[in-house]
Amino acid sequence: MAGVKTEDGADDTALFTTEGHTGVITLNRPRALNALTHPMVLRITEALTAWEHDPAVAQVLIRGAGERGLCAGGDIRAIHDDAKAGGDASEDFWRDEYRLNALIARYPKPYVALMDGIVMGGGVGLSAHGSVRVVTERSRVAMPETGIGFVPDVGGTHLLARAPGELGTHLALTGAAVGAADALLCGLADHFVPAARLPELTAELAGAPAPEVLARLAGRPAPGELAGRRAWIDRCHAADTVEETVERLLAEGDPAAKEAAETILAKSPTALKVTLAAVRRARGLGSLERVLEQEFRVSCHALRAPDLVEGVRAQVIDKDRRPRWSPPALADVSEETVERFFAPLGEARELRLS
């Protein structure tokens, strides 16, 4: 697989090897925090499909090159440029990416994801839907989309909707990154392995099943933060609106709750309201496939809304960290505006998975 050329000639952005009876995927853009591109999505899908029917491959491992993380998400600069130009490349990318997310979730062989370092956005989609998800003391797992005027996707609203209590709503609105213990608590990961033992884990997977290897190498992470904050998180995020959530957080008298409120207020007001609606609706949709179909609608509508371009400009391109959201306040985002993000795209454009 490693020698397969893509249309743009980038045959080394994702590497595919077999080590013993394990198919190994290595995301190979370390200088870009292994950010995911459309050719990478297509090649990973191709490899997983081939390995699914290969009796010599008993399980799959996905990891990131370098020391900084598995994957920081999709290539948001490319999405920014596409949105600014009014193109449809991002829509094509998401269609294939979300199909890959569904494939990973239903993969018939053990799918081991090494969620070491930064795992955000599209990186969560490549890992947290897998059947064997490993975090380390270096893990920082997040769906930070509201900070760039976007909404959690790649099945993120499905995962967050299933987290205990309102922890998922808290992470969706704040975009906060969590460490190993909190990722385990929220159901985003299954096992903790110290980063220093990852080479040993990888080597042993070549000759033994993942459950057997993890029984020897997995341990307990250092305590996280969310368990001790669960009471006020559940109480505040049970509110019906983002405005009321912020009011409750500020009324708690807890410095961490106040910080959460301030964090939320810095995000895109439109993205916040759409995100809350998306997570709440995901709870009722049931299957990952149906949630991905909803997320595809939301993402496509977000591509034509002003805050995505502005958010990426402020956070990634100009890096002034001073986005000018439109509209600028939560009170100015109407229910009709939120509903437009969930509107049908038309039969020819809809994503059909379920």
Side-chain angles (χ1 to χ4, degrees):
M1 295 293 299
V4 175
K5 290 279 186 179
T6 60
E7 290 182 4
D8 62 359
D11 66 347
D12 62 349
T13 55
L15 306 176
F16 306 89
T17 58
T18 52
E19 299 179 12
H21 60 205
T22 299
V24 180
I25 303 168
T26 305
L27 306 182
N28 193 38
R29 299 184 69 208
R31 293 180 62 185
L33 273 169
N34 299 316
L36 197 59
T37 66
H38 199 171
M40 290 168 72
V41 165
L42 296 174
R43 297 184 68 227
I44 293 168
T45 301
E46 179 187 358
L48 289 177
T49 302
W51 285 336
E52 179 179 347
H53 303 289
D54 185 346
V57 175
Q59 57 196 8
V60 171
L61 171 72
I62 187 167
R63 62 189 178 185
E67 298 292 319
R68 298 168 66 197
L70 171 65
C71 176
D75 188 341
I76 57 175
R77 280 180 177 267
I79 293 170
H80 166 275
D81 294 347
D82 184 48
K84 201 169 181 181
D88 55 12
S90 297
E91 189 170 321
D92 294 339
F93 167 63
W94 289 323
R95 186 183 302 277
D96 288 325
E97 184 183 24
Y98 299 177
R99 285 172 173 158
L100 174 57
N101 301 145
L103 172 63
I104 290 168
R106 304 290 180 247
Y107 205 64
K109 299 178 180 182
Y111 180 97
V112 184
L114 300 188
M115 301 172 70
D116 184 38
I118 292 174
V119 185
M120 296 185 178
V124 173
L126 287 179
S127 57
H129 297 301
S131 55
V132 185
R133 305 162 300 173
V134 179
V135 284
T136 75
E137 73 278 4
R138 303 188 300 201
S139 295
R140 302 300 295 166
V141 184
M143 296 299 295
E145 286 78 6
T146 55
I148 58 166
F150 197 48
V151 177
D153 66 334
V154 298
T157 60
H158 175 76
L159 294 165
L160 296 173
R162 298 169 72 192
E166 295 293 342
L167 292 177
T169 309
H170 175 72
L171 296 182
L173 295 181
T174 62
V178 297
D182 288 333
L184 293 166
L185 173 64
C186 291
L188 301 173
D190 308 298
H191 306 278
F192 170 80
V193 174
R197 304 198 75 174
L198 290 183
E200 183 182 356
L201 170 63
T202 301
E204 290 200 21
L205 284 173
E212 181 181 314
V213 176
L214 285 162
R216 292 195 297 270
L217 299 182
R220 295 175 64 89
E225 299 177 344
L226 293 182
R229 300 173 179 177
R230 177 75 186 275
W232 64 256
I233 286 175
D234 285 356
R235 188 161 54 241
C236 296
H237 287 285
D240 291 332
T241 66
V242 181
E243 293 96 323
E244 187 180 349
T245 296
V246 171
E247 290 175 6
R248 292 186 186 188
L249 288 168
L250 292 173
E252 279 291 322
D254 185 308
K258 181 175 183 290
E259 182 181 353
E262 292 170 348
T263 297
I264 290 170
L265 289 173
K267 311 298 185 184
S268 158
T270 302
L272 288 167
K273 288 200 170 184
V274 176
T275 293
L276 180 60
V279 172
R280 295 276 165 85
R281 294 181 189 208
R283 289 175 178 169
L285 288 174
S287 73
L288 170 64
E289 286 82 0
R290 291 192 66 196
V291 176
L292 285 165
E293 291 168 353
Q294 172 177 274
E295 289 179 348
F296 186 74
R297 286 183 178 179
V298 172
S299 296
C300 290
H301 287 301
L303 193 66
R304 310 302 174 204
D307 279 1
L308 177 57
V309 168
E310 173 60 13
V312 178
R313 179 207 63 76
Q315 302 296 341
V316 178
I317 296 175
D318 296 340
K319 297 183 179 178
D320 60 22
R321 308 291 193 264
R322 298 178 64 183
R324 296 181 290 274
W325 303 124
S326 179
L330 287 166
D332 297 329
V333 182
S334 68
E335 290 185 15
E336 290 75 19
T337 296
V338 173
E339 282 300 320
R340 282 200 291 271
F341 282 79
F342 297 90
L345 299 169
E347 190 59 35
R349 291 175 62 203
E350 295 283 5
L351 177 65
R352 298 295 185 194
L353 296 172
S354 56

